[in-house]
């Protein structure tokens, strides 16, 4: 499912030849990825293959040791920590495997949090948050704390929180990793529908083929290297 | 299970718990270390406080052993074993120097402690601290005053403390009488000047106020690393430990921390004791050997600390259910009951109520147990009410910025741990406020106005006797020329007696004071309309109630001047032109009744053995001036006294207690701050995943920092509010007990709250680097 | 699963006699159903005729079992094409995939390439099924899920196999395709 990329179709987010080591352990060893606006890309690979690190570098959470990450026309490593934080607040959204909701805030407040971090007034933020909870079919848990809801509900709250700011890119790191099949299916269906609805591109890190099948294409990371396999070239 | 195996099993469980303390790898060891250091600091403070009484006893015994001022006893006749002693104390840069002039009257004079022989005339034996001071550049201004040959050092038994400044100067100029004493031995029974009931009450409460937060701190310290401990216990349950075994294993762990903490405390104490000799606080220094814990209290500490540790560990276990698959907190959703929390302070107040108005300075001893129990209950009430208060207030809070919302929601989820962390601070502040109120209330009983007029003079030189007849202005002139002395007036003091009058049954002749000064100086003693040299005046003054008016010698009467034996004194005829003038208090606040004469009215040159006073107007901005004055005074006679004039005078014991209190509260708050810091760091570490996610979302560092600040500040503010209320109640009760008007002491409330607030800010500030380290990229990476 | 291409793969590793081919095949791929000799020699005859193998030598004696067969250049090309060609995702194609992996290793090719190619093919089908599921009714969803789970099982097995390449290489006593993964 690869169509030749027209020259004027510049990628939204692109990473070229990323290297990153934690101590003496290399996590990325020449990873390359191009993400076009609105597309959903699955990043696949075994545990420890470096796929989460790739996501962290792409999102500007972790600076790479070598290589460049461009978001639109800006290079992330040239930005200050504050600028990258602002970028993550406004342009990116995040869903992780677990433990991402702030345990002491209610689900509604959790979803409203990114808007409030961006300076939106509390009332407006919570109204938008409530709409998103509805879109992800978890209105009933709005007043509950994360500890009081099921794993599937929690992930859907997390998806709502990631998309409430209408980000250009949604980063999802094993979003169904802690869920059973049914809940995983539901979360993926709602996540991809909502992302397509808002036009957000998605970087979906997963080791599950069924989850990766929700993406438009996949990228495999092995030993910190990407093999963008394009069958049609063979 | 047979009882024997059961007992064995129980011991084995405790031992297993003990082993687990060291099994947790590096983080386990570091947590245990924190507990050990925390408990150790607490124990060291406890040991120090139990040493205070032995320390004071040690000092007063040393002071008594070298006592040479025996009042109210008959002087021995001069002999082979007598020595003349004159006090020659002085002050240098606000440090007191104990000085004595010694003059043996025979071949076998008594020796003061610490001396192997008496210094010969002009020779001096000094304390090591004084020797160092005289050798150092700092002592430059003191050297002219003590410009004598140093022939030896005073050994430790002759000193109150290692840093004491003292000297013995040998002389041959002394004559018995006046300030000079004849003694045949040094040392007296230690009278141990007992504290009066009000001071006793203050000391008791200081101890309670300082020790209670330390107890709170120790209770917190044995819980350091509690989360990891709970997880470990859960793992043990998974492999088959039952609930009772879990409790015993937990007890074993707690015991290890407590016992190691005790050892560490003893080590800290011994180390600190060695250091104590290096410090001199407000002129008080202490020999390490005098710092000995009271054996009974020390034994109590050794037993109580492990007991507290085990009890706290068991109480902590009651709040959670350790299940094989994890730890469930029981406290969630539990409403806090108010009634038993309120009972504590109410019972405490009820215990104190019967004592209202019952304690005064002169009164009999009071029931100390009742007071201690009442105060303890009132203060423990602060710790008990605080979780309820935090809970009740925080539940109603909402809205606000993101950082505020994060902090408040966190507090709503877990009031227990935050309230526990600040309860010690609240108890210390409540106690501090109560004490300060009590101090402010009883202050006027102990701080009395001196009547000294510092607008006219700021210092007074007193020479008891021995001045030859001279123009008083020559005496003043010796000071007037010193830099920093703006003015000086001198008065020569003596007395007149009717010629041939006989001593009464006490050996005293009925006489009248005679003060010799020039007109300028006389105007300090009386209100004169006109004055010229050659004039003489009399000040009659109000007779003391119930006494006949003093009769001054009439003009034209012939009198003898001076205290010498009849016949050796100078004869003088009271001038006929003697005018009666209204008296005026001198700058030192004394009334100057008697005869006032200008030098021209008599011939001072023929007089001997006069006393003298010089009133000095000083430029107080020059700190050396007073030292130059002291040097000049010592140049006249080593026994000359230089007094700073002050509008009020405090009983010094009182000042020492107050200083001790301030230092104690500060030390306590710093200690509590340390445990607060550990608590915050543990909480941060627990929340590291949440923090990492918040950073991924682009949360600003400032937002998270502010959230940590709020999270600490809100319970602390509530704790301070509670402390102010209950501290004021306690302070009011204490004031009522000693019959003083009850009013809140705002300055001390502000100071105490300020110190506590500063400690909290400091702690939050210190925790921020750890927070920022957690926020560094990579926090998402691993669990 | 093609016996002819499997023979070619085995011959690419080294020339063998007919009976040797049968023994190795039965051992590695037979799964309890040994080949008939007739099947072996008819397959070899077909391969000879299409020029993919040649007779490398004849040992003394008579009978076809004395002939040693070797692969031709055309045969190598055929094996390469076959290995590079993803199998149509289907249930029960493990036999083929397994054979491909083993032969890829035996012939010194990068077995990971085979896995990657196959994964891409599988995922293409899985994406189509996922899309169909989103649009379809409950029956459609159930059918699609059935297929998706089986395809996922294939891929899981592929992933596992890739992860075990070094282990496999050691069993087959051939150098592993990645130098950094080689075991002595």
């Amino acid at each position: 499912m690869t169509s030749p990329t027209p020259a004027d179709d510049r990628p939204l987010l692109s990473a070229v030849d990323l290297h990153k080591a934690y101590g003496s352990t290399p996590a990325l060893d020449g990873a390359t990825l191009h993400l076009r606006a609105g597309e959903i890309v699955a990043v696949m690979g075994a545990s420890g293959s470096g796929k989460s690190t790739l996501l962290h570098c792409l999102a500007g959470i972790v600076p790479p040791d070598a290589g460049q990450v461009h978001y639109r026309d800006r290079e992330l490593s040239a930005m200050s920590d504050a600028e990258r934080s602002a970028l993550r607040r406004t342009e990116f959204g995040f869903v992780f495997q677990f433990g991402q909701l702030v345990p002491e805030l209610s689900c509604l407040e959790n979803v409203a949090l990114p808007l409030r971090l961006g300076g939106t007034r509390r009332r407006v933020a919570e109204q938008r948050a409530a709409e998103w909870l509805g879109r992800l079919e978890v209105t009933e848990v709005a007043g509950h704390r994360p500890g009081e809801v099921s794993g599937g509900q929690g992930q859907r709250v997390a998806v709502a929180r990631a998309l409430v700011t209408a980000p250009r890119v949604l980063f999802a790191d094993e979003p169904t990793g802690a869920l059973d099949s049914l809940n995983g299916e539901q979360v993926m269906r709602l996540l991809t529908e909502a992302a397509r609805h808002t036009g957000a591109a998605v970087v979906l890190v997963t080791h599950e083929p069924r989850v990766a099948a929700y993406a438009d294409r996949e990228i495999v990371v092995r030993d910190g290297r990407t093999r963008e396999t394009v069958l049609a070239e063979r | 299970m047979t009882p024997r195996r059961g007992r064995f099993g129980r011991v084995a469980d405790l031992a297993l718990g003990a082993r687990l303390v060291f099994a947790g790898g590096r983080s386990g060891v570091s947590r245990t270390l924190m507990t050990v250091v925390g408990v150790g600091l607490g124990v060291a403070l406890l040991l120090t406080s139990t040493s205070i009484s032995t320390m004071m006893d040690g000092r007063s015994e040393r002071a008594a052993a070298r006592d040479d001022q025996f009042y109210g006893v008959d002087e021995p006749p001069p002999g082979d074993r007598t020595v003349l002693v004159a006090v020659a104390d002085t002050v240098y840069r606000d440090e007191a120097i104990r000085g004595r002039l010694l003059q043996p009257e025979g071949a076998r004079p008594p020796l003061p402690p610490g001396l192997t022989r008496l210094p010969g005339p002009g020779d001096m034996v000094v304390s090591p601290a004084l020797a160092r001071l005289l050798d150092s550049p700092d002592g430059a201004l003191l050297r002219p005053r003590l410009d004598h040959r140093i022939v030896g050092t005073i050994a430790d038994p002759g000193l109150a403390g290692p840093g004491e400044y003292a000297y013995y100067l040998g002389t041959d100029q002394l004559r018995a009488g006046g300030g000079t004493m004849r003694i045949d031995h040094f040392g007296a029974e230690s009278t141990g000047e007992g504290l009066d009931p009000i001071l006793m009450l203050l000391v008791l409460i200081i101890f309670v106020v300082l020790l209670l937060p330390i107890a709170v701190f120790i209770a917190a310290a044995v819980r350091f690393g509690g989360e990891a401990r709970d997880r470990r216990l859960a793992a043990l349950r998974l492999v088959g430990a039952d609930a009772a075994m879990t409790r015993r294993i937990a007890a074993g762990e707690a015991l290890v921390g407590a016992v190691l903490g005790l050892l560490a405390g003893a080590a800290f104490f011994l180390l600190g004791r060695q250091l104590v000799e290096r410090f001199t606080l407000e002129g008080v220094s202490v020999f390490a050997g005098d710092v000995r814990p009271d054996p009974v209290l020390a034994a109590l500490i050794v037993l109580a600390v492990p007991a507290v540790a085990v009890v706290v560990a068991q109480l902590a276990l009651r709040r959670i259910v350790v299940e094989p698959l994890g730890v469930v907190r029981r406290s969630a959703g539990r409403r806090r009951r108010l009634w038993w929390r309120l009972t504590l302070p109410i019972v405490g107040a009820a215990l104190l109520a019967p004592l209202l108005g019952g304690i005064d300075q002169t009164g009999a001893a009071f029931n100390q147990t009742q007071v201690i129990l009442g105060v303890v209950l009132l203060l423990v009430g602060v710790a008990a009410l605080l979780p309820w208060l935090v809970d009740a207030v925080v539940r109603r809070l909402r809205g606000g910025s993101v950082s505020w919302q994060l902090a408040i929601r966190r507090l709503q989820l877990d009031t227990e741990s935050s309230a526990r962390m600040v309860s010690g601070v609240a108890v210390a502040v409540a106690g501090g406020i109560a004490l300060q109120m009590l101090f402010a209330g009883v202050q006027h009983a102990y701080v009395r106005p001196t009547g000294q007029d510092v607008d006219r003079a700021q210092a007074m030189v007193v020479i008891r006797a021995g001045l030859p007849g001279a123009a008083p202005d020559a005496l003043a002139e010796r000071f007037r020329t010193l830099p920093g002395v703006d003015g000086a007036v001198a008065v020569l003091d003596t007395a007149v007696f009717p010629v041939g009058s006989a001593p009464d049954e006490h050996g005293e002749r009925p006489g009248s004071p005679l003060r010799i000064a020039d007109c300028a100086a006389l105007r300090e003693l009386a209100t004169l309309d006109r004055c010229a040299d050659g004039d003489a005046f009399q000040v009659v003054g109000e007779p003391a109630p119930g006494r006949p008016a003093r009769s001054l010698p009439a003009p034209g009467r012939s009198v003898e001047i001076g205290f010498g034996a009849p016949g050796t004194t100078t004869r003088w005829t009271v001038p006929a032109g003697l005018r009666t003038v209204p008296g005026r208090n001198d700058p030192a606040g004394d009334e100057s009744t008697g005869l006032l004469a200008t030098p021209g009215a008599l011939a001072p040159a023929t007089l001997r053995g006069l006393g003298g006073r010089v009133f000095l107007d000083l430029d107080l901005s020059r700190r050396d001036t007073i030292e130059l004055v002291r040097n000049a005074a010592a140049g006249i006679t080593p026994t000359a006294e230089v007094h700073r004039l002050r509008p009020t005078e405090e009983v010094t014991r009182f000042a020492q207690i107050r200083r001790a209190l301030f230092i104690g509260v500060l030390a306590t708050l710093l200690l509590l701050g340390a445990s607060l810091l550990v608590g915050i760091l543990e909480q941060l570490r627990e929340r590291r995943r949440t923090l990492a996610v918040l950073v991924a979302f682009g949360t600003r560092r400032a937002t998270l920092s502010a959230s940590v600040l709020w999270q600490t500040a809100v319970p602390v503010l509530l704790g301070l509010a509670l402390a102010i209320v209950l501290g004021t109640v306690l302070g009011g009760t204490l004031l009522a007990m000693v019959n003083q008007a009850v009013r809140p002491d705002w300055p001390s409330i502000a100071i105490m709250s300020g110190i506590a607030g500063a400690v909290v800010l400091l702690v939050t500030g210190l925790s921020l680097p750890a927070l920022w380290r957690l926020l560094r990229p990579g926090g998402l990476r691993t669990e | 699963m093609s016996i002819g291409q499997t023979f070619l793969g085995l011959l690419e590793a080294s020339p063998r006699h007919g009976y040797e081919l049968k023994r190795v095949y039965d051992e590695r791929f037979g799964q309890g159903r040994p080949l008939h000799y007739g099947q072996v020699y008819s397959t070899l005859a077909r391969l000879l005729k299409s020029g993919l193998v040649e007779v490398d030598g004849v040992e003394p004696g008579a009978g076809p079992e004395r002939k040693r067969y070797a692969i031709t250049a055309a045969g190598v090309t055929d094996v390469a094409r076959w290995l590079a060609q993803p199998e149509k995702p289907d249930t029960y194609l493990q036999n083929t995939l397994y054979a491909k992996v083993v032969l890829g290793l035996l012939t010194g090719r990068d077995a990971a390439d085979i896995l990657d190619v196959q994964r891409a093919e599988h995922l293409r089908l899985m994406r189509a099924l996922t899309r169909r599921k989103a649009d379809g009714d409950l029956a459609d969803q159930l059918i699609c899920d059935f297929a998706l789970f089986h395809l996922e099982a294939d891929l899981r097995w592929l992933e596992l196999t890739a992860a075990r390449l070094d282990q496999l290489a050691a069993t087959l006593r051939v150098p592993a395709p990645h130098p950094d993964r080689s075991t002595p």
Side-chain angles (χ1 to χ4, degrees):
Chain A
M1 155 113 207
T2 42
S3 49
T5 308
D8 60 329
D9 185 10
R10 303 253 299 279
L12 179 66
L13 179 68
S14 64
V16 180
D17 199 25
L18 294 184
H19 291 260
K20 174 78 189 175
Y22 290 112
S24 59
T25 321
L28 288 181
D29 191 18
T32 299
L33 183 150
H34 299 280
L35 181 73
R36 286 183 293 275
E39 76 168 337
I40 302 180
V41 173
V43 178
M44 301 189 71
S47 304
S49 59
K51 53 190 192 300
S52 286
T53 305
L54 176 59
L55 180 140
H56 294 160
C57 287
L58 284 171
I61 298 172
V62 171
D65 297 338
Q68 292 185 327
V69 179
H70 279 92
Y71 175 71
R72 302 172 102 176
D73 289 330
R74 310 177 66 185
E75 211 225 302
L76 291 194
S77 59
M79 295 165 74
S80 71
D81 183 60
E83 286 173 320
R84 280 200 300 269
S85 291
L87 185 71
R88 292 200 298 270
R89 268 201 308 277
T90 53
E91 305 277 294
F92 297 167
F94 296 90
V95 180
F96 298 103
Q97 182 173 352
F98 61 88
Q100 54 191 315
L101 297 176
V102 181
E104 47 269 41
L105 298 184
S106 73
C107 288
L108 183 73
E109 286 166 339
N110 260 293
V111 176
L113 188 64
L115 287 173
R116 301 206 57 210
L117 288 173
T120 310
R121 288 176 52 102
R122 180 189 169 89
R123 189 177 297 275
V124 178
E126 292 192 351
Q127 200 175 330
R128 290 246 293 277
E131 289 166 20
W132 270 96
L133 285 177
R135 197 168 297 173
L136 284 147
E137 302 166 14
V138 277
T139 306
E140 69 276 13
V141 300
H144 294 35
R145 289 215 176 93
E148 300 161 353
V149 306
S150 75
Q153 288 170 328
Q155 281 310 85
R156 281 183 275 159
V157 172
V159 172
R161 184 175 68 172
L163 290 170
V164 71
T165 53
R168 303 285 296 253
V169 185
L170 171 64
F171 293 94
D173 190 352
E174 301 281 9
T176 63
L179 301 181
D180 60 57
S181 305
L182 183 62
N183 274 299
E185 294 289 327
Q186 213 171 3
V187 165
M188 282 315 299
R189 181 175 57 81
L190 291 165
L191 186 151
T192 44
E193 275 174 13
R196 291 195 203 283
H197 179 79
T198 57
V202 180
V203 176
L204 173 65
V205 167
T206 183
H207 69 280
E208 289 185 89
R210 266 183 311 111
V211 173
Y214 282 89
D216 299 326
R217 63 188 173 96
E218 78 280 354
I219 281 179
V220 179
V221 186
R222 184 178 301 136
D223 300 333
R225 286 184 288 268
T226 53
R227 296 162 165 264
E228 195 164 357
T229 49
V230 183
L231 195 60
E233 286 173 7
R234 307 232 171 191
Chain B
M1 217 191 238
T2 67
R4 196 160 153 264
R5 282 190 56 190
R7 203 177 309 124
F8 176 76
R10 261 171 244 149
V11 173
D13 289 345
L14 286 176
L16 174 60
R19 270 209 313 281
L20 280 176
V21 172
F22 305 99
R26 239 181 62 196
S27 78
V29 169
S30 73
R31 276 156 208 265
T32 309
L33 206 64
M34 278 195 303
T35 301
V36 168
V37 171
V39 173
L41 285 174
V43 167
L45 266 182
L46 286 177
L47 286 175
T48 307
S49 57
T50 62
S51 306
I52 287 175
S53 63
T54 55
M55 204 168 79
M56 286 171 138
D57 286 351
R59 277 183 66 84
S60 59
E61 269 166 30
R62 288 164 182 282
R66 66 181 184 190
D67 193 9
D68 50 19
Q69 301 292 299
F70 309 124
Y71 294 102
V73 291
D74 288 332
E75 282 190 5
D80 203 25
R81 296 172 167 276
T82 58
V83 63
L84 292 175
V85 180
V87 174
D89 294 346
T90 184
V91 174
Y92 181 67
R93 301 251 196 263
D94 291 333
E95 303 282 359
I97 300 172
R98 182 184 192 265
R100 291 291 184 270
L101 304 184
L102 297 177
Q103 181 177 326
E105 290 184 305
R108 290 183 294 159
L111 280 175
L115 259 61
T116 49
R117 59 183 188 82
L118 291 184
D123 288 348
M124 187 164 68
V125 179
V126 297
S127 71
L130 184 57
R132 280 194 298 275
L133 178 62
L134 286 171
D135 273 348
S136 72
D138 287 344
L141 273 173
L142 183 61
R143 277 195 287 275
R145 199 180 317 167
L146 297 178
D147 190 14
H148 310 286
R149 193 160 66 100
I150 296 174
V151 296
T153 343
I154 307 173
D156 287 354
L159 298 172
E164 189 185 38
Y165 298 120
Y167 72 91
Y168 289 102
L169 174 61
T171 181
D172 52 9
Q173 307 288 311
L174 292 182
R175 237 161 300 286
T180 305
M181 290 216 163
R182 171 176 294 122
I183 59 172
D184 56 4
H185 67 280
F186 284 90
E189 280 297 296
S190 176
T191 50
E193 205 182 343
L195 292 172
D196 72 44
I198 289 186
L199 284 175
M200 191 69 219
L201 177 70
L202 288 172
V203 171
L204 273 183
I205 292 165
I206 284 177
F207 268 71
V208 172
V209 162
L210 294 186
L211 296 191
L212 210 52
I214 292 175
V216 173
F217 170 77
I218 290 182
V222 298
R223 281 279 299 155
F224 286 166
E227 305 289 335
R229 199 162 310 165
D230 295 347
R231 279 198 298 276
R232 205 156 50 219
L233 292 175
L236 282 172
R237 292 223 52 188
L238 188 60
V239 298
D242 64 24
M245 285 166 77
T246 318
R247 276 201 293 278
R248 285 195 293 272
I249 290 168
E253 291 199 53
L255 270 180
V256 171
V259 170
L260 288 180
L262 271 178
L263 293 177
F268 290 156
F269 174 75
L270 290 175
L271 276 176
R273 202 168 80 146
Q274 293 313 306
L275 293 178
V276 80
E277 294 201 359
R278 299 192 181 187
F279 297 101
T280 299
L281 196 65
E282 300 291 335
V284 174
S285 62
V286 180
F287 282 111
D290 284 350
V291 185
R292 290 187 309 272
D294 181 290
V296 176
L297 293 177
L300 204 64
I301 293 170
V302 168
L303 293 178
V305 168
V308 164
V310 170
V311 167
V312 167
Q314 300 302 315
L315 283 180
L317 275 186
R318 257 188 25 182
R319 289 210 190 87
I320 57 170
V321 188
V322 179
E323 291 295 348
L325 288 176
V327 178
V328 183
R329 308 241 158 245
R330 231 179 223 163
S331 59
R334 192 167 49 110
R335 274 299 277 262
R336 291 168 207 295
R337 291 210 181 77
L338 182 57
W339 64 266
W340 70 265
R341 296 167 192 275
L342 265 179
T343 309
L344 293 175
I346 290 172
V347 169
L351 277 173
L352 295 179
L355 298 170
L356 289 183
I359 298 175
D360 57 47
Q361 265 161 280
T362 55
F366 52 91
N367 186 337
Q368 296 186 3
T369 320
Q370 196 176 345
V371 170
I372 291 175
L373 206 62
V375 172
V376 166
L377 282 176
L378 260 172
L379 290 178
V380 167
V382 175
L385 278 170
L386 189 57
W388 176 84
L389 180 72
V390 174
D391 205 28
V393 170
V394 160
R395 191 151 5 97
R396 284 170 180 78
L397 291 177
R398 56 195 77 243
S401 65
V402 174
S403 58
W404 174 260
Q405 189 182 39
L406 284 171
I408 293 302
R409 288 287 190 255
R410 172 82 198 163
L411 288 174
Q412 286 172 349
L413 202 60
D414 184 14
T415 38
E416 187 79 35
S417 56
S418 39
R420 196 175 51 218
M421 284 200 296
V422 300
S423 58
V425 174
V427 169
V429 170
I433 287 174
L435 269 175
Q436 292 293 349
M437 246 178 99
L438 186 54
F439 274 114
V442 298
Q443 189 148 283
H444 69 265
Y446 287 88
V447 181
R448 58 166 191 267
T450 55
Q452 295 174 349
D453 188 348
V454 291
D455 292 336
R456 287 151 68 193
Q458 293 81 46
M460 171 173 71
V461 179
V462 177
I463 291 151
R464 288 185 187 214
L467 288 176
D473 199 52
L475 179 61
E477 192 62 30
R478 297 180 72 146
F479 295 97
R480 205 177 284 142
T481 51
L482 298 174
V485 176
D486 293 340
V489 292
V491 178
L492 296 175
D493 291 303
T494 183
V496 295
F497 303 96
V499 174
S501 65
D504 61 12
E505 65 268 32
H506 302 296
E508 286 180 13
R509 298 168 74 191
S512 309
L514 168 63
R515 308 172 200 282
I516 306 158
D518 57 26
C519 283
L522 285 184
R523 284 182 199 278
E524 297 290 338
L525 309 181
T527 310
L528 308 178
D529 47 355
R530 58 192 158 81
C531 173
D533 194 28
D535 286 354
F537 310 90
Q538 67 172 346
V539 175
V540 180
E542 291 290 311
R547 291 261 194 94
R550 195 184 322 217
S551 61
L552 292 171
R557 189 89 186 265
S558 184
V559 292
E560 296 173 0
I561 298 177
F563 295 95
T568 66
T569 52
T570 306
R571 292 264 176 119
W572 181 55
T573 305
V574 179
L578 188 76
R579 294 204 306 275
T580 301
V581 291
R584 178 187 184 197
N585 284 353
D586 67 29
D590 294 325
E591 200 183 6
S592 303
T593 55
L595 298 172
L596 311 179
T598 51
L602 33 70
T606 63
L607 301 174
R608 272 195 309 274
L610 301 177
R613 286 175 292 160
V614 186
F615 299 104
L616 298 166
D617 189 6
L618 301 179
D619 178 1
L620 290 176
S621 60
R622 301 170 65 152
R623 69 191 284 260
D624 283 347
T625 302
I626 191 74
E627 301 304 333
L628 295 174
V629 168
R630 288 180 183 132
N631 287 354
I636 298 168
T637 163
T639 60
E641 297 164 22
V642 178
H643 298 281
R644 294 286 295 272
L645 300 186
R646 291 189 172 86
T648 57
E649 180 188 49
E650 274 182 60
V651 171
T652 50
R653 283 180 309 185
F654 197 72
Q656 280 164 6
I657 291 174
R658 212 155 116 177
R659 272 197 298 275
L661 169 76
F662 264 115
I663 295 161
V665 168
L666 190 63
T668 310
L669 283 174
L670 284 175
L671 195 63
L672 292 168
S675 84
L676 201 58
L677 183 60
V678 170
I680 293 178
L681 292 182
E682 280 202 338
Q683 238 182 44
L684 285 179
R685 216 173 296 133
E686 248 176 80
R687 289 164 54 74
R688 125 188 237 145
R689 169 93 200 161
T690 305
L691 291 171
V693 170
L694 283 170
V695 171
F697 268 91
T699 310
R700 289 180 196 87
R701 215 157 73 157
T703 306
L704 293 175
S705 308
S707 151
V708 171
L709 177 65
W710 290 129
Q711 206 182 307
T712 319
V714 167
V716 165
L717 285 179
L718 291 173
L720 286 183
L722 191 63
I724 289 169
V725 170
L726 281 188
T728 308
V729 167
L730 177 58
T733 312
L734 294 174
L735 276 177
M737 278 162 62
V738 297
N739 284 317
Q740 298 293 336
V742 176
R743 56 185 137 67
D745 179 29
W746 296 114
S748 58
I749 288 176
I751 290 172
M752 284 290 167
S753 311
I755 293 176
V759 167
V760 169
L761 277 180
L762 180 75
V763 163
T764 311
L766 287 177
S767 72
L768 288 184
L771 172 67
W772 293 336
R773 208 164 43 240
L774 284 178
L775 297 188
R776 275 202 309 232
L780 275 173
R781 210 176 117 234
T782 44
E783 274 298 271
Chain C
M1 155 150 198
S2 158
I3 301 172
Q5 264 131 353
T6 312
F7 277 12
L8 281 177
L10 289 173
L11 288 176
E12 191 186 341
S14 69
R16 294 170 205 269
H17 297 286
Y19 71 91
E20 237 185 318
L21 271 176
K22 174 188 149 46
R23 192 173 50 76
V24 173
Y25 184 96
D26 288 349
E27 205 174 274
R28 297 253 161 83
F29 312 109
Q31 293 182 333
R33 289 190 305 182
L35 292 174
H36 303 297
Y37 275 102
Q39 236 177 327
V40 173
Y41 293 112
S42 64
T43 305
L44 282 172
R46 189 161 48 78
L47 293 175
L48 269 172
K49 209 169 79 186
S50 31
L52 298 175
V53 297
E54 58 194 10
V55 175
D56 191 35
V58 182
E59 287 179 18
E65 71 272 17
R66 293 291 173 211
K67 284 181 188 158
R68 211 160 71 128
Y69 299 90
I71 195 165
T72 62
V76 172
T77 312
D78 192 68
V79 171
R81 200 170 49 235
W82 176 66
L83 288 177
Q85 178 87 36
E87 294 295 312
K88 189 174 178 315
D90 198 357
T91 53
Y92 310 119
L93 50 68
Q94 284 90 339
N95 278 353
T96 317
L97 289 175
Y98 178 69
K100 280 190 165 183
V101 170
V102 172
L103 291 171
L105 275 175
L106 279 174
T107 56
R109 290 185 170 82
D110 190 347
D113 276 344
I114 301 170
L115 300 179
D116 282 344
V117 167
Q118 195 59 48
R119 184 200 286 113
E121 188 62 18
H122 265 66
L123 273 173
R124 192 153 63 158
L125 180 59
M126 288 177 78
R127 270 196 290 276
L129 288 168
T130 304
R131 264 196 301 279
R132 208 172 111 200
K133 201 171 70 166
D135 304 330
D137 57 11
L138 183 62
D140 263 353
Q141 283 179 23
L142 289 178
I143 292 164
C144 290
D145 277 338
F146 178 83
L148 279 167
F149 276 97
H150 280 93
L151 288 166
E152 186 178 55
D154 284 351
L155 274 179
R156 285 249 172 98
W157 176 84
L158 273 172
E159 299 279 0
L160 193 65
T161 307
R164 284 185 179 159
L165 275 180
D166 16 346
Q167 218 180 321
L168 204 58
T171 322
L172 297 172
R173 294 186 212 292
V174 293
H178 296 295
D180 57 322
R181 286 188 171 190
S182 64
T183 42

